[in-house]
Coordinates of all heavy atoms in Angstrom, one line a residue:
E316 N -9.5 22.1 15.6 CA -9.0 23.6 15.5 C -9.5 24.3 14.3 O -10.3 25.2 14.4 CB -7.4 23.4 15.4 CG -6.7 22.8 16.4 CD -5.2 22.8 16.1 OE1 -4.8 23.3 15.2 OE2 -4.6 22.1 17.1
N317 N -9.3 23.7 13.1 CA -9.7 24.4 11.9 C -10.6 23.6 11.1 O -10.4 22.4 10.8 CB -8.5 24.8 11.1 CG -8.8 25.6 9.8 OD1 -9.9 25.6 9.4 ND2 -7.8 26.3 9.3
E318 N -11.9 24.0 10.9 CA -12.9 23.3 10.2 C -12.5 22.9 8.8 O -13.1 21.9 8.2 CB -14.3 24.0 10.3 CG -14.9 24.1 11.7 CD -16.3 24.5 11.7 OE1 -16.9 24.2 10.7 OE2 -16.7 25.0 12.7
D319 N -11.7 23.6 8.2 CA -11.2 23.3 6.9 C -10.5 22.0 6.8 O -10.5 21.2 5.9 CB -10.2 24.3 6.3 CG -10.9 25.7 6.0 OD1 -12.0 25.7 5.8 OD2 -10.1 26.7 5.9
Y320 N -9.9 21.6 7.9 CA -9.2 20.3 8.0 C -10.2 19.2 8.1 O -9.9 18.1 7.5 CB -8.3 20.3 9.3 CG -6.9 21.0 9.2 CD1 -6.8 22.0 10.0 CD2 -6.2 20.8 8.2 CE1 -5.6 22.8 10.0 CE2 -4.9 21.5 8.0 CZ -4.7 22.5 8.9 OH -3.6 23.2 8.8
L321 N -11.3 19.4 8.5 CA -12.4 18.4 8.7 C -12.8 18.1 7.1 O -13.0 16.9 6.8 CB -13.6 18.9 9.5 CG -14.8 17.9 9.6 CD1 -14.3 16.7 10.2 CD2 -15.8 18.5 10.4
D322 N -13.0 19.1 6.3 CA -13.4 18.8 4.9 C -12.4 18.1 4.2 O -12.5 17.1 3.4 CB -13.7 20.1 4.2 CG -15.0 20.8 4.7 OD1 -15.8 20.1 5.3 OD2 -15.1 22.0 4.5
M323 N -11.0 18.5 4.4 CA -9.9 17.8 3.7 C -9.8 16.3 4.2 O -9.5 15.5 3.4 CB -8.6 18.6 4.0 CG -8.6 19.9 3.3 SD -7.0 20.8 3.5 CE -6.9 21.1 5.2
A324 N -9.9 16.1 5.5 CA -9.9 14.8 6.1 C -11.0 13.9 5.6 O -10.7 12.7 5.2 CB -9.9 14.9 7.7
T325 N -12.2 14.5 5.5 CA -13.3 13.7 4.9 C -13.0 13.3 3.5 O -13.2 12.2 3.0 CB -14.6 14.6 4.9 OG1 -14.9 14.8 6.4 CG2 -15.7 13.8 4.3
A326 N -12.5 14.2 2.6 CA -12.2 14.0 1.3 C -11.0 12.9 1.2 O -11.2 12.0 0.3 CB -11.7 15.1 0.5
L327 N -10.1 12.9 1.9 CA -9.0 12.0 2.0 C -9.3 10.7 2.5 O -9.2 9.6 1.9 CB -7.8 12.6 2.5 CG -6.5 11.8 2.5 CD1 -6.0 11.6 1.0 CD2 -5.4 12.5 3.3
S328 N -9.7 10.7 3.8 CA -10.0 9.4 4.5 C -11.3 8.9 4.4 O -11.5 7.7 4.4 CB -9.8 9.7 6.0 OG -8.4 10.0 6.3
G329 N -12.3 9.8 4.0 CA -13.6 9.2 3.7 C -13.8 8.5 2.4 O -14.4 7.6 2.3
S330 N -13.1 9.0 1.4 CA -13.1 8.4 0.1 C -12.1 7.4 -0.1 O -12.1 6.4 -0.9 CB -13.0 9.4 -1.0 OG -13.9 10.4 -0.9
G331 N -10.9 7.4 0.7 CA -9.8 6.5 0.5 C -10.1 5.1 0.5 O -9.6 4.3 -0.3
P332 N -10.9 4.7 1.5 CA -11.1 3.2 1.5 C -11.8 2.6 0.3 O -11.5 1.5 -0.2 CB -12.1 3.0 2.7 CG -11.7 4.2 3.6 CD -11.5 5.4 2.7
A333 N -12.7 3.4 -0.4 CA -13.3 2.9 -1.7 C -12.2 2.6 -2.7 O -12.1 1.6 -3.4 CB -14.2 4.0 -2.2
Y334 N -11.1 3.5 -2.9 CA -10.0 3.3 -3.7 C -9.1 2.0 -3.3 O -8.8 1.3 -4.2 CB -9.2 4.6 -3.8 CG -9.9 5.6 -4.6 CD1 -10.4 6.8 -3.8 CD2 -10.0 5.7 -6.0 CE1 -11.0 7.8 -4.4 CE2 -10.7 6.6 -6.5 CZ -11.2 7.7 -5.8 OH -11.7 8.9 -6.4
I335 N -9.0 1.9 -2.0 CA -8.2 0.8 -1.6 C -9.0 -0.6 -1.8 O -8.3 -1.5 -2.3 CB -8.0 1.0 0.0 CG1 -7.1 2.2 0.3 CG2 -7.2 -0.4 0.6 CD1 -5.8 2.3 -0.4
F336 N -10.2 -0.6 -1.7 CA -11.0 -1.8 -1.9 C -11.0 -2.1 -3.4 O -10.9 -3.2 -3.9 CB -12.4 -1.7 -1.3 CG -12.5 -1.7 0.2 CD1 -13.2 -0.9 0.8 CD2 -11.8 -2.8 0.8 CE1 -13.2 -0.9 2.3 CE2 -11.8 -2.8 2.2 CZ -12.5 -1.8 2.9
L337 N -11.1 -1.1 -4.2 CA -11.0 -1.3 -5.7 C -9.7 -1.9 -6.1 O -9.6 -2.8 -6.9 CB -11.4 -0.1 -6.4 CG -11.3 0.0 -7.9 CD1 -12.6 -0.8 -8.4 CD2 -11.5 1.4 -8.5
F338 N -8.6 -1.4 -5.4 CA -7.3 -1.8 -5.7 C -7.1 -3.3 -5.3 O -6.5 -4.1 -5.9 CB -6.2 -0.9 -4.9 CG -4.8 -1.4 -5.1 CD1 -4.1 -1.2 -6.3 CD2 -4.2 -2.0 -4.0 CE1 -2.8 -1.6 -6.3 CE2 -2.7 -2.4 -4.0 CZ -2.2 -2.2 -5.3
I339 N -7.7 -3.6 -4.1 CA -7.6 -5.1 -3.6 C -8.3 -5.9 -4.5 O -7.8 -7.0 -4.9 CB -8.2 -5.1 -2.1 CG1 -7.3 -4.4 -1.2 CG2 -8.5 -6.5 -1.7 CD1 -8.0 -4.3 0.2
E340 N -9.5 -5.5 -5.0 CA -10.2 -6.3 -5.9 C -9.5 -6.6 -7.2 O -9.5 -7.7 -7.7 CB -11.5 -5.6 -6.3 CG -12.5 -6.5 -7.2 CD -13.8 -5.8 -7.5 OE1 -13.9 -4.6 -7.1 OE2 -14.7 -6.4 -8.1
A341 N -8.9 -5.5 -7.8 CA -8.1 -5.7 -8.9 C -6.9 -6.7 -8.8 O -6.7 -7.5 -9.7 CB -7.6 -4.3 -9.4
M342 N -6.3 -6.4 -7.7 CA -5.1 -7.4 -7.3 C -5.5 -8.9 -7.1 O -4.9 -9.8 -7.7 CB -4.3 -6.9 -6.1 CG -3.8 -5.6 -6.2 SD -2.0 -5.7 -6.7 CE -1.3 -6.7 -5.4
V343 N -6.6 -9.1 -6.5 CA -7.1 -10.4 -6.3 C -7.6 -11.0 -7.6 O -7.2 -12.1 -8.0 CB -8.3 -10.5 -5.3 CG1 -9.0 -11.8 -5.3 CG2 -7.8 -10.1 -3.9
D344 N -8.2 -10.3 -8.4 CA -8.6 -10.7 -9.8 C -7.4 -11.0 -10.6 O -7.4 -12.0 -11.3 CB -9.5 -9.6 -10.5 CG -11.0 -9.6 -9.9 OD1 -11.3 -10.5 -9.2 OD2 -11.6 -8.6 -10.3
A345 N -6.4 -10.2 -10.6 CA -5.2 -10.5 -11.3 C -4.6 -11.9 -10.8 O -4.1 -12.7 -11.7 CB -4.2 -9.4 -11.1
G346 N -4.5 -12.1 -9.6 CA -4.0 -13.4 -9.0 C -4.9 -14.6 -9.4 O -4.2 -15.6 -9.7
V347 N -6.2 -14.4 -9.5 CA -7.0 -15.4 -9.9 C -6.7 -15.7 -11.5 O -6.6 -16.9 -12.0 CB -8.5 -15.1 -9.8 CG1 -9.4 -16.1 -10.5 CG2 -8.8 -15.1 -8.3
H348 N -6.6 -14.7 -12.2 CA -6.2 -14.7 -13.6 C -4.9 -15.5 -13.9 O -4.7 -16.3 -14.8 CB -6.1 -13.4 -14.2 CG -5.8 -13.4 -15.8 ND1 -6.8 -13.8 -16.7 CD2 -4.7 -13.0 -16.3 CE1 -6.3 -13.6 -17.8 NE2 -5.1 -13.2 -17.8
M349 N -3.9 -15.3 -12.8 CA -2.7 -16.1 -13.0 C -2.7 -17.4 -12.7 O -1.9 -18.2 -12.9 CB -1.5 -15.4 -12.1 CG -1.2 -14.0 -12.7 SD 0.3 -13.3 -11.7 CE -0.7 -12.4 -10.4
G350 N -3.9 -17.8 -12.0 CA -4.0 -19.3 -11.6 C -4.2 -19.5 -10.1 O -4.4 -20.8 -9.7
F351 N -4.2 -18.6 -9.3 CA -4.4 -18.8 -7.9 C -5.9 -19.0 -7.6 O -6.7 -18.4 -8.3 CB -3.9 -17.7 -7.0 CG -2.4 -17.5 -6.9 CD1 -1.7 -16.5 -7.5 CD2 -1.6 -18.4 -6.2 CE1 -0.3 -16.4 -7.4 CE2 -0.3 -18.3 -6.1 CZ 0.4 -17.3 -6.7
S352 N -6.2 -19.7 -6.5 CA -7.6 -19.8 -6.2 C -8.0 -18.4 -5.6 O -7.1 -17.6 -5.2 CB -7.9 -20.8 -5.1 OG -7.2 -20.4 -3.9
R353 N -9.2 -18.0 -5.6 CA -9.5 -16.7 -5.0 C -9.2 -16.6 -3.6 O -8.8 -15.6 -3.1 CB -11.0 -16.4 -5.2 CG -11.6 -15.1 -4.8 CD -12.8 -14.7 -5.5 NE -12.7 -14.6 -6.9 CZ -12.3 -13.5 -7.6 NH1 -11.8 -12.5 -7.0 NH2 -12.2 -13.4 -8.9
D354 N -9.3 -17.7 -2.8 CA -8.9 -17.6 -1.3 C -7.4 -17.3 -1.2 O -6.9 -16.4 -0.4 CB -9.2 -18.9 -0.6 CG -10.8 -19.1 -0.4 OD1 -11.5 -18.0 -0.5 OD2 -11.2 -20.1 -0.1
V355 N -6.6 -18.0 -2.0 CA -5.2 -17.8 -1.9 C -4.8 -16.4 -2.4 O -4.0 -15.7 -1.8 CB -4.3 -18.9 -2.7 CG1 -2.9 -18.6 -2.9 CG2 -4.6 -20.3 -2.1
A356 N -5.3 -16.0 -3.5 CA -5.1 -14.6 -4.0 C -5.4 -13.6 -3.0 O -4.7 -12.6 -2.9 CB -5.9 -14.5 -5.4
T357 N -6.6 -13.8 -2.4 CA -7.1 -12.8 -1.4 C -6.1 -12.7 -0.2 O -5.7 -11.7 0.3 CB -8.4 -13.1 -0.9 OG1 -9.4 -13.0 -2.0 CG2 -8.9 -12.1 0.1
T358 N -5.6 -13.9 0.3 CA -4.7 -13.9 1.4 C -3.4 -13.2 1.0 O -2.8 -12.4 1.7 CB -4.4 -15.3 1.8 OG1 -5.6 -15.9 2.3 CG2 -3.3 -15.5 2.9
L359 N -2.9 -13.5 -0.2 CA -1.7 -13.0 -0.8 C -1.8 -11.4 -0.8 O -0.9 -10.7 -0.4 CB -1.3 -13.5 -2.0 CG -0.8 -15.0 -2.1 CD1 -0.6 -15.5 -3.5 CD2 0.5 -15.1 -1.4
V360 N -2.8 -10.9 -1.4 CA -3.0 -9.5 -1.5 C -3.3 -8.8 -0.1 O -2.6 -7.7 0.2 CB -4.3 -9.1 -2.4 CG1 -4.6 -7.7 -2.3 CG2 -4.0 -9.6 -3.8
H361 N -3.9 -9.4 0.8 CA -4.1 -8.8 2.1 C -2.7 -8.7 2.7 O -2.5 -7.8 3.5 CB -5.0 -9.7 3.0 CG -6.5 -9.5 2.6 ND1 -7.5 -10.3 3.1 CD2 -7.1 -8.6 1.7 CE1 -8.6 -10.0 2.6 NE2 -8.5 -8.9 1.8
Q362 N -2.0 -9.9 2.8 CA -0.6 -9.8 3.4 C 0.4 -8.9 2.8 O 1.1 -8.3 3.5 CB 0.0 -11.3 3.5 CG -0.9 -12.2 4.3 CD -0.8 -11.8 5.8 OE1 0.1 -11.4 6.4 NE2 -2.0 -11.8 6.4
T363 N 0.3 -8.7 1.4 CA 1.1 -7.8 0.8 C 0.7 -6.4 1.2 O 1.7 -5.5 1.5 CB 0.9 -7.9 -0.8 OG1 1.2 -9.1 -1.2 CG2 1.7 -6.8 -1.5
L364 N -0.5 -6.0 1.4 CA -1.0 -4.6 1.8 C -0.6 -4.4 3.3 O -0.1 -3.3 3.6 CB -2.5 -4.5 1.5 CG -2.9 -4.3 0.0 CD1 -4.4 -4.3 0.0 CD2 -2.4 -3.1 -0.5
L365 N -0.8 -5.4 4.0 CA -0.4 -5.3 5.4 C 1.0 -5.1 5.6 O 1.5 -4.2 6.3 CB -0.8 -6.6 6.2 CG -0.5 -6.6 7.7 CD1 -1.2 -5.5 8.4 CD2 -0.9 -7.9 8.4
G366 N 1.8 -5.8 5.0 CA 3.3 -5.6 5.0 C 3.8 -4.3 4.5 O 4.7 -3.8 5.1
S367 N 3.2 -3.9 3.4 CA 3.5 -2.7 2.8 C 3.1 -1.5 3.8 O 3.9 -0.6 3.9 CB 3.0 -2.5 1.4 OG 3.4 -3.5 0.6
T368 N 2.0 -1.6 4.4 CA 1.6 -0.5 5.2 C 2.4 -0.4 6.4 O 2.8 0.7 6.8 CB 0.1 -0.7 5.6 OG1 -0.7 -0.8 4.4 CG2 -0.5 0.2 6.6
L369 N 2.7 -1.6 7.0 CA 3.6 -1.6 8.3 C 5.0 -1.1 7.9 O 5.5 -0.4 8.7 CB 3.6 -3.0 8.9 CG 2.3 -3.6 9.5 CD1 2.5 -5.0 9.9 CD2 1.8 -2.6 10.7
Y370 N 5.5 -1.5 6.8 CA 6.8 -1.0 6.3 C 6.8 0.5 6.1 O 7.7 1.3 6.6 CB 7.3 -1.7 5.0 CG 8.6 -1.3 4.6 CD1 9.7 -1.8 5.3 CD2 8.8 -0.5 3.5 CE1 11.0 -1.4 4.8 CE2 10.0 -0.1 3.0 CZ 11.1 -0.5 3.7 OH 12.4 -0.2 3.3
A371 N 5.8 1.0 5.4 CA 5.6 2.4 5.2 C 5.5 3.3 6.5 O 6.1 4.4 6.7 CB 4.5 2.7 4.3
M372 N 4.7 2.7 7.4 CA 4.6 3.4 8.7 C 6.0 3.4 9.6 O 6.3 4.5 10.1 CB 3.5 2.7 9.5 CG 2.1 2.9 9.0 SD 0.9 1.9 9.8 CE 0.8 2.7 11.3
Q373 N 6.7 2.3 9.4 CA 7.9 2.1 10.2 C 8.9 3.2 9.6 O 9.6 3.9 10.2 CB 8.4 0.9 10.1 CG 9.9 0.7 10.9 CD 10.6 -0.5 10.3 OE1 10.5 -1.0 9.3 NE2 11.6 -0.9 11.2
A374 N 8.9 3.2 8.2 CA 9.9 4.0 7.5 C 9.6 5.5 7.7 O 10.6 6.2 7.8 CB 9.9 3.7 5.9
S375 N 8.4 5.8 7.8 CA 8.1 7.2 8.0 C 8.4 7.8 9.4 O 8.7 8.9 9.6 CB 6.7 7.5 7.6 OG 5.7 7.0 8.6
T376 N 8.4 6.8 10.3 CA 8.6 7.2 11.7 C 10.2 7.1 12.0 O 10.6 7.9 12.9 CB 7.9 6.4 12.8 OG1 8.3 5.0 12.6 CG2 6.4 6.5 12.7
S377 N 10.9 6.3 11.3 CA 12.3 6.2 11.6 C 13.2 7.2 10.7 O 14.3 7.4 11.0 CB 12.8 4.8 11.3 OG 12.6 4.4 9.9
S378 N 12.7 7.8 9.8 CA 13.4 8.8 9.0 C 12.6 10.2 8.9 O 12.0 10.5 8.0 CB 13.4 8.2 7.6 OG 14.1 9.1 6.7
S379 N 12.8 10.8 10.0 CA 12.0 12.1 10.1 C 12.7 13.2 9.4 O 12.2 14.3 9.3 CB 11.9 12.5 11.6 OG 13.1 12.5 12.3
S380 N 13.9 12.9 9.0 CA 14.6 14.1 8.3 C 14.2 14.2 6.8 O 14.4 15.2 6.2 CB 16.1 13.8 8.4 OG 16.5 12.6 7.7
S381 N 13.6 13.2 6.2 CA 13.1 13.2 4.8 C 11.7 13.5 4.8 O 11.0 13.3 5.8 CB 13.4 11.9 4.2 OG 14.8 11.6 4.1
T382 N 11.3 14.0 3.7 CA 9.8 14.2 3.5 C 9.1 12.9 3.3 O 9.8 11.9 2.9 CB 9.5 15.1 2.4 OG1 9.9 14.5 1.2 CG2 10.2 16.5 2.6
S383 N 7.8 12.8 3.4 CA 7.1 11.6 3.2 C 7.2 11.2 1.7 O 7.4 10.0 1.4 CB 5.7 11.8 3.5 OG 4.8 10.7 3.3
T384 N 7.2 12.1 0.8 CA 7.4 11.7 -0.6 C 8.7 11.2 -0.8 O 8.9 10.3 -1.6 CB 7.1 13.1 -1.6 OG1 5.9 13.6 -1.3 CG2 7.3 12.7 -2.9
D385 N 9.8 11.8 -0.2 CA 11.1 11.3 -0.3 C 11.2 9.7 0.1 O 11.7 8.9 -0.5 CB 12.2 12.0 0.3 CG 12.4 13.4 -0.3 OD1 12.0 13.6 -1.4 OD2 12.9 14.3 0.5
N386 N 10.5 9.5 1.3 CA 10.5 8.2 1.8 C 9.8 7.2 0.9 O 10.2 6.1 0.7 CB 9.8 8.1 3.2 CG 10.6 8.8 4.2 OD1 11.8 8.8 4.2 ND2 10.1 9.2 5.3
Q387 N 8.7 7.6 0.3 CA 8.0 6.7 -0.6 C 8.8 6.4 -1.8 O 8.8 5.2 -2.2 CB 6.5 7.3 -0.9 CG 5.7 7.4 0.1 CD 4.4 8.3 -0.1 OE1 4.3 8.7 -1.2 NE2 3.5 8.3 0.8
Q388 N 9.5 7.4 -2.5 CA 10.3 7.1 -3.5 C 11.5 6.3 -3.1 O 11.8 5.3 -4.0 CB 10.8 8.6 -4.1 CG 9.7 9.4 -4.8 CD 10.2 10.7 -5.1 OE1 11.3 11.2 -4.7 NE2 9.3 11.4 -5.9
Q389 N 12.1 6.4 -2.1 CA 13.1 5.4 -1.6 C 12.7 4.1 -1.5 O 13.3 3.1 -1.9 CB 13.7 6.0 -0.3 CG 14.6 7.2 -0.5 CD 14.9 7.8 0.9 OE1 14.6 7.4 1.9 NE2 15.7 8.9 0.8
Q390 N 11.4 3.9 -0.9 CA 10.9 2.5 -0.7 C 10.6 1.9 -2.1 O 10.7 0.7 -2.2 CB 9.6 2.7 0.0 CG 9.9 3.0 1.6 CD 8.6 3.3 2.3 OE1 7.5 3.2 1.8 NE2 8.7 3.8 3.5
Q391 N 10.1 2.7 -3.1 CA 9.8 2.1 -4.2 C 11.1 1.7 -5.1 O 11.0 0.7 -5.9 CB 9.1 3.1 -5.1 CG 7.7 3.4 -4.6 CD 7.0 4.6 -5.4 OE1 7.5 5.2 -6.2 NE2 5.8 4.9 -5.1
Q392 N 12.2 2.3 -4.7 CA 13.4 2.0 -5.5 C 14.3 1.0 -4.7 O 15.2 0.4 -5.3 CB 14.4 3.3 -5.6 CG 13.6 4.2 -6.5 CD 14.3 5.6 -6.5 OE1 15.4 5.9 -5.7 NE2 13.9 6.6 -7.2
Q393 N 13.9 0.6 -3.5 CA 14.6 -0.5 -2.9 C 14.4 -1.7 -3.5 O 13.1 -2.0 -3.8 CB 14.2 -0.5 -1.4 CG 14.8 0.7 -0.6 CD 14.4 0.6 0.9 OE1 13.5 -0.1 1.3 NE2 15.0 1.6 1.6
P394 N 15.3 -2.6 -3.6 CA 15.2 -3.8 -4.2 C 14.2 -4.8 -3.2 O 14.3 -4.7 -2.1 CB 16.4 -4.5 -4.4 CG 17.3 -3.8 -3.4 CD 16.7 -2.5 -3.2
V395 N 13.5 -5.7 -4.0 CA 12.7 -6.6 -3.2 C 13.7 -7.9 -2.8 O 14.8 -7.8 -3.2 CB 11.4 -7.1 -4.0 CG1 10.5 -5.9 -4.1 CG2 11.9 -7.5 -5.3
H396 N 13.1 -8.9 -2.4 CA 13.8 -10.1 -2.0 C 14.5 -10.6 -3.2 O 14.0 -10.6 -4.3 CB 12.8 -11.1 -1.4 CG 13.6 -12.3 -0.8 ND1 14.1 -13.3 -1.6 CD2 13.8 -12.6 0.5 CE1 14.7 -14.2 -0.8 NE2 14.5 -13.8 0.4
P397 N 15.8 -11.0 -3.1 CA 16.7 -11.4 -4.2 C 16.0 -12.5 -5.0 O 16.1 -12.6 -6.3 CB 17.9 -11.9 -3.6 CG 18.0 -11.1 -2.3 CD 16.6 -11.0 -1.9
A398 N 15.2 -13.4 -4.4 CA 14.5 -14.5 -5.1 C 13.5 -13.8 -6.2 O 13.4 -14.4 -7.3 CB 13.9 -15.4 -4.2
V399 N 12.9 -12.9 -5.8 CA 11.9 -12.1 -6.7 C 12.6 -11.7 -7.8 O 12.3 -11.6 -9.0 CB 11.1 -11.1 -6.0 CG1 10.1 -10.5 -6.8 CG2 10.4 -11.9 -4.8
L400 N 13.8 -10.9 -7.7 CA 14.5 -10.4 -8.7 C 15.1 -11.3 -9.8 O 15.3 -11.0 -10.9 CB 15.7 -9.6 -8.1 CG 15.4 -8.3 -7.2 CD1 16.7 -7.8 -6.7 CD2 14.7 -7.3 -8.1
R401 N 15.4 -12.6 -9.4 CA 15.9 -13.6 -10.2 C 14.7 -14.0 -11.3 O 15.1 -14.6 -12.3 CB 16.3 -14.8 -9.5 CG 17.7 -14.5 -8.9 CD 18.2 -15.8 -8.1 NE 18.0 -15.4 -6.9 CZ 18.0 -16.2 -5.8 NH1 18.1 -17.6 -6.0 NH2 17.8 -16.0 -4.5
N402 N 13.6 -13.9 -11.0 CA 12.4 -14.3 -11.9 C 12.2 -13.6 -12.9 O 12.3 -12.5 -13.3 CB 11.2 -14.5 -11.1 CG 11.2 -15.6 -10.1 OD1 12.0 -16.7 -10.3 ND2 10.5 -15.6 -9.0

């Protein structure tokens, strides 16, 4: 429809993967630094990102009354598994 959207989409989605891969690399390196093998750290990071992405997608479709920013803030404030909180 509007060619301005193409430029915006290119900036957001075209550059986005580079930031995601940098984030993944940093998380994996942190896991290795903590003592995990690189393979285990990579699997943990991939599964964490996958689960977070699926959760964010589900939350954004099930709560259409709130804005996306509101949903993200609520997700960040929700407690994680109780076992994690005890550590």
Side-chain angles (χ1 to χ4, degrees):
E316 298 175 7
N317 186 338
E318 288 191 28
D319 290 337
Y320 287 121
L321 183 59
D322 291 338
M323 290 186 293
T325 299
L327 183 62
S328 296
S330 301
Y334 291 104
I335 300 300
F336 290 129
L337 184 63
F338 178 73
I339 290 170
E340 181 181 10
M342 294 265 307
V343 170
D344 287 346
V347 170
H348 181 73
M349 286 188 272
F351 290 110
S352 70
R353 187 157 296 277
D354 286 343
V355 169
T357 299
T358 299
L359 288 169
V360 170
H361 287 169
Q362 291 299 311
T363 298
L364 289 170
L365 176 62
S367 298
T368 300
L369 294 173
Y370 181 75
M372 291 171 69
Q373 178 205 23
S375 68
T376 58
S377 66
S378 180
S379 60
S380 62
S381 298
T382 67
S383 178
T384 302
D385 290 342
N386 286 339
Q387 290 170 1
Q388 289 172 347
Q389 289 171 356
Q390 291 167 9
Q391 291 169 359
Q392 294 172 0
Q393 288 178 352
V395 294
H396 190 278
V399 175
L400 294 176
R401 282 182 255 158
N402 291 332

